[in-house]
């Protein structure tokens, strides 16, 4: 008989975020990404190839007061790097994804990464949560300059921090509200729900 799965305790900072829904607006991106290992779902979402993203779980919120993205990130065993720590590539993947959601929330859909510069400060133990913080620093025509960091649950220890430049790849940028109601996103959501109900 298999032992029951141990429930992962959510970090305290997430309780504070959930307790203030006026300040912290859910982005709707509780991404438990093993779901995206299904090739049909990955194709519908536009993903290609393999990535660490299947082993990273994000729970993201928009801080209306500070105008930044915050939330939790959890790295499971698929992200293992040296000495039982999270692989640096998984940390960078998480930051890139969160910065992307920051541009969507702040400026709308239609931006891609031009440059991501990550500075690693302290190893992160595999199986731990991190707090993510990302914000837009400035915009310059079609370029968007951002900063992000992954902190330990004590909210003071920095595991890694980054700067990035994103580029508005099209003049047709959908706002965050338009993204939530777009036909493509709605059809993908229907496909995802249908797939989940069949499992």
């Amino acid at each position: 008989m298999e032992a029951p799965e141990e429930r992962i305790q959510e970090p305290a900072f997430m309780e504070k975020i959930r307790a203030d829904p006026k300040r912290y607006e859910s982005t709707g991106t509780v991404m438990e990404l093993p779901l995206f290992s299904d090739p049909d779902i990955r194709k519908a979402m536009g993903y290609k190839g393999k990535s660490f993203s299947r082993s990273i779980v994000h729970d993201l919120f928009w801080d209306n007061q500070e105008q930044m993205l915050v939330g939790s990130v959890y790295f499971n065993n698929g992200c293992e790097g040296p000495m039982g720590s999270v692989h640096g590539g998984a940390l960078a993947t998480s930051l890139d994804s969160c910065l992307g959601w920051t541009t969507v929330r702040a400026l709308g859909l239609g931006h891609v990464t031009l440059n991501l510069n990550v500075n690693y400060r302290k190893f992160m133990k595999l199986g731990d949560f991190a707090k993510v913080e990302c914000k837009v620093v400035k915009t310059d025509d079609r370029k968007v300059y951002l900063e992000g960091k992954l902190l330990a649950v004590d909210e003071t220890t920095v595991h890694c921090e980054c700067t990035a430049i994103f580029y508005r790849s099209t003049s047709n940028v959908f706002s965050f509200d338009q993204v939530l109601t777009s036909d493509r996103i709605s059809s993908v959501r229907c496909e995802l729900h249908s797939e989940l109900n069949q499992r």
Side-chain angles (χ1 to χ4, degrees), residues 63-93:
D63 183 339
N64 287 306
Q65 184 175 308
E66 299 294 329
Q67 293 294 291
M68 64 189 293
L69 192 83
V70 297
S72 68
V73 185
Y74 180 79
F75 299 91
N76 74 23
N77 291 339
C79 297
E80 188 170 12
M83 302 175 285
S85 300
V86 178
H87 193 288
L91 297 171
T93 297

Side-chain angles (χ1 to χ4, degrees), residues 9 21 98 141 145 155:
Q9 182 66 42
C98 292
D141 191 26
Y145 296 81
E155 300 184 65

Side-chain angles (χ1 to χ4, degrees), residues 88-141:
L91 297 171
T93 297
S94 174
L95 283 169
D96 186 43
S97 178
C98 292
L99 291 167
W101 276 107
T102 303
T103 62
V104 170
R105 186 58 186 83
L107 304 167
L109 186 68
H111 298 82
V112 295
T113 312
L114 277 183
N115 176 270
L116 178 66
N117 183 21
V118 181
N119 293 306
Y120 299 96
R121 303 293 180 206
K122 186 168 177 131
F123 281 110
M124 181 174 174
K125 186 180 168 190
L126 196 65
D128 279 356
F129 277 95
K131 181 180 184 182
V132 63
E133 295 180 353
C134 296
K135 64 181 177 181
V136 173
V137 177
K138 69 174 183 173
T139 58
D140 179 12
D141 191 26

Side-chain angles (χ1 to χ4, degrees), residues 39-52:
D40 294 330
I41 293 175
R42 290 180 64 78
K43 186 176 179 183
M45 296 292 286
Y47 291 105
K48 299 177 180 86
K50 296 181 180 178
S51 70
F52 282 116

